[in-house]
Amino acid sequence: MPILPVLSSGSRVLTGGSDAGAGWTRLPPMFRRMLRFQHMDFELALWQLTYLCIAPRKVYKQVYYHKQTHNTWARNDPAMLILISASLACGCITWSVVYSLGPVGGIRLALVMVFRDFILTGLIVCSLLWRTAPGTVQTDPGNVEWAYAFDVHCNGFVPLFFLLYVIQLILVPVITQDKWICLLLGNLLYLIAFTQYFYITYLGYNALPFLIRTEVILLPLIPILTGFVASLLGYNIARKALTLYFGA
């Protein structure tokens, strides 16, 4: 049984409107339900946001149950996507105040953080992992859903958001100072954030029973850890990143 409704060749009408409708129905349910706020389970999404930061394994324990009840590994509720995007947009207000960006600068920053940092980067990363999944798959590669790959990115982005968009904001006066201990603190923040991202991504693919050798997803941690150790010689990652964003 297909996960998404598709039109049969006999029922397809060759008109522009029908083609657009067919394309819409092929979108993952999470994207087709973006405006149905009354049907979103924000309470569950908040629970998942919390546990992704403190005990991410608990979130993935529900994956198999979700597959059995909804016939899909991916979420069909966009509440998580909405909450992360809204949190980023709200965080931009504080960042704009700290760096005196003004209303226009704040809107531009929100667009960058939501659409580039979160969504566009997520589309690229999840598509790469989705395409390379056949290299670690035990049965049919088609069992790996693209929408699930995007779900995994959203999950991994949660602790990264908390560390780099919230905690880093609080620590800006400290981590930008010309002291080695401040450099260590800022660089450690980035190390933990990206380690958490790849670890949660690994958990997401490891939760699929038909995948093998999912530990290869953790390989990027080797250059990340190497880069962290090298940066302790005098490269302040946090200050360089903030300079790219705010020029200060």
Side-chain angles (χ1 to χ4, degrees):
M1 177 182 293
I3 296 174
L4 299 178
V6 295
L7 294 176
S8 64
S9 58
S11 63
R12 185 174 296 163
V13 180
L14 297 178
T15 62
S18 63
D19 289 343
W24 173 252
T25 59
R26 292 191 184 99
L27 286 174
M30 181 175 65
F31 293 105
R32 288 190 278 115
R33 299 176 182 178
M34 287 292 293
L35 299 179
R36 301 178 184 177
F37 294 100
Q38 68 275 17
H39 299 299
M40 298 183 192
D41 191 346
F42 287 103
E43 183 178 350
L44 175 61
L46 285 171
W47 179 89
Q48 292 177 335
L49 285 172
T50 302
Y51 275 90
L52 283 168
C53 292
I54 61 177
R57 286 184 178 271
K58 288 189 176 182
V59 175
Y60 286 116
K61 286 183 179 180
Q62 297 183 333
V63 169
Y64 187 76
Y65 173 76
H66 188 275
K67 171 64 175 177
Q68 298 302 310
T69 56
H70 295 84
N71 195 32
T72 175
W73 296 102
R75 293 188 185 99
N76 51 15
D77 185 351
M80 174 74 78
L81 179 62
I82 296 294
L83 286 178
I84 295 176
S85 300
S87 298
L88 278 168
C90 291
C92 288
I93 298 176
T94 308
W95 281 104
S96 300
V97 172
V98 170
Y99 282 92
S100 304
L101 299 181
V104 175
I107 294 174
R108 185 183 298 111
L109 181 64
L111 293 175
V112 168
M113 287 186 172
V114 174
F115 290 100
R116 187 193 70 182
D117 295 359
F118 175 43
I119 297 178
L120 179 59
T121 302
L123 293 176
I124 295 172
V125 171
C126 79
S127 296
L128 287 173
L129 289 175
W130 175 67
R131 292 294 297 177
T132 56
T136 59
V137 79
Q138 192 172 24
T139 56
D140 180 12
N143 287 327
V144 181
E145 304 167 5
W146 183 90
Y148 180 79
F150 187 76
D151 276 353
V152 172
H153 161 72
C154 291
N155 292 343
F157 191 85
V158 171
L160 188 145
F161 160 76
F162 179 71
L163 289 167
L164 299 187
Y165 294 82
V166 179
I167 300 300
Q168 182 175 221
L169 174 62
I170 298 173
L171 296 178
V172 163
V174 177
I175 60 180
T176 54
Q177 293 185 25
D178 291 320
K179 296 180 180 179
W180 187 85
I181 190 65
C182 299
L183 177 148
L184 172 64
L185 179 61
N187 292 5
L188 190 61
L189 198 64
Y190 277 78
L191 173 66
I192 297 173
F194 283 101
T195 299
Q196 281 286 88
Y197 179 85
F198 282 102
Y199 173 66
I200 293 177
T201 299
Y202 157 74
L203 291 179
Y205 286 89
N206 192 56
L208 300 179
F210 50 85
L211 289 179
I212 60 175
R213 300 191 300 274
T214 52
E215 60 274 7
V216 298
I217 296 174
L218 297 175
L219 287 178
L221 294 182
I222 297 176
I224 288 175
L225 181 59
T226 303
F228 167 75
V229 173
S231 70
L232 298 182
L233 297 176
Y235 189 86
N236 191 319
I237 298 174
R239 189 161 61 187
K240 295 295 182 181
L242 293 174
T243 299
L244 290 175
Y245 271 89
F246 308 104

